Amino acid sequence: MPELPEVETIKNDLNSKILNLKISQVTVSLPKIVKNDLTFFQNILNNNSFSNINRRGKLIICSLKNGNYFLLVHLKMTGQLIYQKGEEIIAGGHNEDQFSLSFPNKHTHLFFTFSDQSRLFFNDLRQFGYLTIVDQDQLNNKLKLYGLEPLSSDFTLKNFRSLLHNRKKNVKAFLLDQNLIAGIGNIYADEVLFASEILPTRSIDTLQTDEIRELHKNIKAILKRAVKYRGTTFNNFVDANGQKGSFLEKLRVYKKEKEPCSKCGGEIIKKRIAGRGTRFCSECQR
DNA sequence: CTTCTTGTTACTGA
DNA sequence: ATCAGTAACAAGAA
């Protein structure tokens, strides 16, 4: 499940590898993942190149060099963007089970071929991800829907406090709401709440001043640390430098149900909260 | 066979 | 307006 740290890692890798490469071909084998008219999509991309790649929440935004257009890529739950140059594989997605060193494979729905013969593959087992080309206005409208960016300078304690003001939803649902705070998914929501010793069912309006401070601090710290470890979901993935995404080893509650809590030894509980499988320690989270 | 998995949107009803 | 709950999307694991 690519969340902010995983998408950030992919974005950084792609920025260092594919900028200004000329796109010589776009091969689409599953048209429904392209949310444009396919002819338009191909016409814009052919002979174009990516001038920059950015991220907002979990959305990847590729600026195109020719024409004022942007390629948006959302990986949803099982999407991957994998760049391959010769035998060298540079940027990956998650889910080792669909990961094979041979591309395209049965989950490859689209790929770009660049003029140096390197290729960028979009793979997606569940086919929920998408690619779409938008103009500046459409991009602006899309970006309006995203809330505070946790690793940006806007994510101050003051701004975080005003975001919480007059809200009543439970804190788990709050963390998952992309319109309020962008980029947190199920894994990091549970990890942040565990680190903050706050129960996921707590209503926002019951949070104490020190709990809000703790929440703010841990959102930043955990996401930052996960980016440093190249995310959680690349466990079998090895990049060009032989590095692994290894935040998986750092998880304290996600997928740890029935195991003892690493802080207090109590049992990690799993319950359905805000429509998601939610793990927490009923002893140290209050 | 059933149930669970999760990002996002859409929809219902309170 | 705000919030909770659920279905839908799809494929695979258990």
Side-chain angles (χ1 to χ4, degrees), chain A residues 200-219:
Chain A
T201 45
R202 285 279 296 285
S203 171
I204 292 294
D205 62 356
T206 69
L207 295 179
Q208 306 297 309
T209 306
D210 59 327
E211 290 178 318
I212 293 174
R213 201 181 300 121
E214 195 67 8
L215 202 52
H216 174 258
K217 185 192 85 183
N218 285 320
I219 290 170

Side-chain angles (χ1 to χ4, degrees), chain A residues 14-119:
Chain A
L14 292 178
N15 259 325
S16 71
K17 298 295 178 182
I18 68 167
L19 293 194
N20 303 313
L21 293 180
K22 185 177 161 187
I23 300 167
S24 53
Q25 203 177 341
V26 184
T27 309
V28 181
S29 48
L30 187 68
K32 72 161 184 178
I33 59 141
V34 174
K35 303 299 180 191
N36 298 102
D37 174 81
L38 206 51
T39 308
F40 170 80
F41 185 82
Q42 303 257 13
N43 284 344
I44 297 292
L45 289 170
N46 273 322
N47 297 315
N48 215 329
S49 59
F50 301 113
S51 55
N52 200 13
I53 301 175
N54 291 292
R55 176 193 60 74
R56 186 77 168 92
K58 301 166 194 167
L59 184 69
I60 299 170
I61 305 160
C62 310
S63 304
L64 292 167
K65 190 172 243 171
N66 307 320
N68 196 19
Y69 290 106
F70 304 86
L71 173 68
L72 307 183
V73 183
H74 203 301
L75 301 174
K76 290 286 181 88
M77 292 169 316
T78 54
Q80 302 178 319
L81 276 177
I82 292 181
Y83 179 67
Q84 195 165 30
K85 185 174 186 178
E87 293 303 302
E88 181 187 45
I89 291 178
I90 316 288
H94 96 299
N95 200 333
E96 60 276 23
D97 296 329
Q98 66 179 292
F99 188 82
S100 119
L101 291 180
S102 163
F103 299 107
N105 63 27
K106 68 172 175 170
H107 301 302
T108 304
H109 308 312
L110 179 152
F111 63 91
F112 302 90
T113 308
F114 299 105
S115 59
D116 65 353
Q117 296 308 304
S118 64
R119 294 187 290 183

Side-chain angles (χ1 to χ4, degrees), chain A residues 273-285:
Chain A
I273 297 166
R276 292 287 169 253
T278 301
R279 285 84 171 179
F280 60 96
C281 174
S282 57
E283 288 297 315
C284 43
Q285 288 174 251

